[in-house]
């Protein structure tokens, strides 16, 4: 009996090469996604990224009161080229707004105020914003368009001054220095109009942004005008009839600063942005925009020490 014929061997199945390639691509994509996600998570969780060129780009929003001045254009370009940080400027015409905006997270930093103003805000609002870099001290001038010296301002004339507590106190000291008023006990950084003991003129507190306008419209004979509002209004330095001395030792509380939330005072990106203000390219344009400014380059720690001292004085003055 013959043997049963052998069946042909069943060929082994072969996995299509296209499926192998597709699977490999999927695996690689998953690995890349996990790596990118981890890197981004690390960037987001870090509160002190350096923001240096070559690092991940960042965007930082800074509140200011003089966005139109040309030095900010130089500053923002350098922030991008040197720190890889895109700076967005938010302009405020009212001094009362930038600090609450910073506190609430609408801003990352602000740069519009001096230490004295910040101290009063922190004490009044029970906040803890902190200075992380300095810019300059500006003189606080008394402007008059019809008179060439303070002594020529007639008796009983109206003089506008800022009505916020800190700028008002400084303005009153300016008027006292110009021999237009005298203040109780010689005045202080916390004086108010109720401390005026004798006066030659009628002091009119107004919103800081309106003092220049009042002078230009002729509703007052003279006005104490903050630097940025004077610049915006085009008030010429030839109209200054008196100003305080920004280079004196007494000017320390009036150093203008970059401010941050307390939890961000060690943020390396923010500290680098504050330091960038001292760059020669920025300084050249800044001093052209503000020829009367006295530039100050103070460490964050020294500014914070000064703030603590002024806050202590502010609390005592409010008791």
């Amino acid at each position: 009996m013959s043997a049963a014929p052998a069946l042909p061997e069943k060929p082994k199945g072969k996995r299509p090469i296209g499926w192998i390639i597709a699977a490999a691509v999927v695996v690689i994509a998953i690995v890349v996604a996990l790596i990118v996600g981890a890197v981004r998570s690390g960037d987001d969780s870090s509160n002190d990224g350096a923001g240096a060129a070559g690092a991940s780009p960042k965007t930082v929003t800074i509140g200011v009161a003089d966005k139109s001045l040309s030095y900010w254009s130089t500053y923002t370009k350098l922030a991008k080229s040197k720190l890889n940080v895109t700076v967005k400027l938010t302009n405020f015409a009212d001094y009362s707004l930038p600090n609450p905006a910073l506190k609430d997270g609408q801003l990352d930093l602000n740069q519009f105020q001096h230490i004295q103003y910040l101290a009063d805000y922190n004490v009044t609002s029970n906040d803890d914003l902190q200075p992380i870099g300095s810019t300059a001290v500006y003189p606080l001038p008394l402007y008059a368009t019809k008179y060439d010296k303070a002594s020529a301002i007639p008796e009983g004339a109206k003089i506008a001054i800022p009505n916020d507590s800190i700028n008002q106190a400084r303005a009153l000291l300016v008027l006292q220095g110009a021999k237009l008023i005298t203040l109780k006990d010689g005045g202080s950084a916390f004086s108010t109009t109720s401390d005026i003991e004798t006066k030659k003129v009628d002091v009119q507190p107004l919103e800081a942004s309106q003092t220049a306008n009042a002078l230009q419209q002729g509703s007052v004979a003279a006005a104490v005008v903050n630097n940025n509002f004077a610049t915006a209004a085009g008030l010429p330095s030839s109209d200054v009839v008196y100003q305080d001395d920004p280079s004196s030792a007494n000017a320390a509380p009036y150093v203008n600063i970059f401010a941050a939330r307390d939890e961000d005072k060690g943020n390396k990106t923010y500290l680098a942005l504050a330091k960038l203000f001292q760059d020669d390219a920025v300084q050249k344009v800044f001093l052209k925009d503000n020829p009367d400014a006295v530039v100050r380059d103070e460490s964050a720690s020294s500014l914070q020490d000064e703030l603590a001292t002024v806050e202590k004085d502010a609390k005592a003055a409010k008791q």
Side-chain angles (χ1 to χ4, degrees):
M1 188 171 178
S2 60
L7 295 174
E9 187 176 6
K10 187 176 181 180
K12 294 181 180 179
K14 294 183 178 180
R15 194 178 300 272
I17 192 168
W19 285 101
I20 296 174
I21 293 173
V25 169
V26 169
V27 170
I28 292 171
I30 292 173
V31 171
V32 170
L34 290 172
I35 293 173
V36 171
V39 170
R40 287 181 177 173
S41 175
D43 286 345
D44 291 342
S45 63
S46 173
N47 188 45
D48 58 357
S56 299
K58 300 177 184 295
T59 298
V60 175
T61 302
I62 304 177
V64 300
D66 56 355
K67 179 181 176 180
S68 63
L69 294 187
S70 54
Y71 75 90
W72 281 120
S73 176
T74 302
Y75 177 87
T76 55
K77 289 175 183 176
L78 279 181
K80 187 62 179 176
S81 64
K82 289 194 170 187
L83 304 177
N84 201 15
V85 174
T86 298
V87 171
K88 292 185 176 180
L89 300 175
T90 300
N91 204 70
F92 293 87
D94 185 337
Y95 283 164
S96 68
L97 300 178
N99 281 334
L102 177 58
K103 176 183 180 179
D104 294 342
Q106 299 172 44
L107 305 172
D108 298 307
L109 300 170
N110 67 38
Q111 197 287 294
F112 78 101
Q113 66 193 322
H114 45 57
I115 290 175
Q116 188 82 40
Y117 188 95
L118 178 58
D120 185 72
Y121 166 79
N122 277 347
V123 170
T124 302
S125 304
N126 194 29
D127 206 346
D128 58 357
L129 302 183
Q130 294 293 316
I132 62 167
S134 59
T135 60
V137 180
Y138 303 92
L140 186 60
L142 173 65
Y143 289 87
T145 56
K146 297 180 180 179
Y147 310 100
D148 58 2
K149 53 186 178 180
S151 60
I153 298 173
E155 188 167 350
K158 293 181 179 180
I159 295 185
I161 66 171
N163 67 357
D164 62 90
S165 59
I166 295 305
N167 283 305
Q168 179 179 128
R170 190 180 178 193
L172 290 171
L173 291 171
V174 167
L175 296 185
Q176 179 170 256
K179 302 187 185 311
L180 297 173
I181 64 170
T182 61
L183 296 167
K184 180 181 178 181
D185 298 327
S188 74
F190 303 97
S191 294
T192 68
T193 52
S194 63
D195 293 316
I196 297 175
E197 290 191 325
T198 65
K199 59 180 181 178
K200 175 185 176 182
V201 293
D202 181 12
V203 179
Q204 300 281 314
L206 299 175
E207 287 283 345
S209 60
Q210 296 303 311
T211 55
N213 186 51
L215 176 63
Q216 291 174 323
Q217 289 186 345
S219 57
V220 296
V224 175
V225 186
N226 295 80
N227 176 74
N228 56 306
F229 294 131
T231 301
L235 290 176
S237 57
S238 58
D239 283 348
V240 175
V241 295
Y242 185 83
Q243 65 183 25
D244 55 8
D245 181 4
S247 62
S248 70
N250 294 331
Y254 300 115
V255 173
N256 280 255
I257 47 99
F258 282 86
R261 289 178 291 275
D262 182 67
E263 63 266 28
D264 292 331
K265 65 184 178 184
N267 183 301
K268 291 182 181 178
T269 297
Y270 298 169
L271 288 167
L273 284 170
K275 187 65 178 177
L276 185 65
F277 179 85
Q278 305 297 335
D279 186 279
D280 289 344
V282 177
Q283 287 295 300
K284 182 178 179 180
V285 186
F286 172 76
L287 290 173
K288 184 177 180 181
D289 286 340
N290 301 279
D292 295 326
V294 175
V295 175
R296 300 287 285 266
D297 184 5
E298 310 284 348
S299 69
S301 59
S302 66
L303 294 169
Q304 289 158 18
D305 288 345
E306 179 68 20
L307 175 68
T309 298
V310 179
E311 284 182 346
K312 182 178 179 181
D313 293 341
K315 289 175 182 177
K318 292 179 184 296
Q319 290 178 350

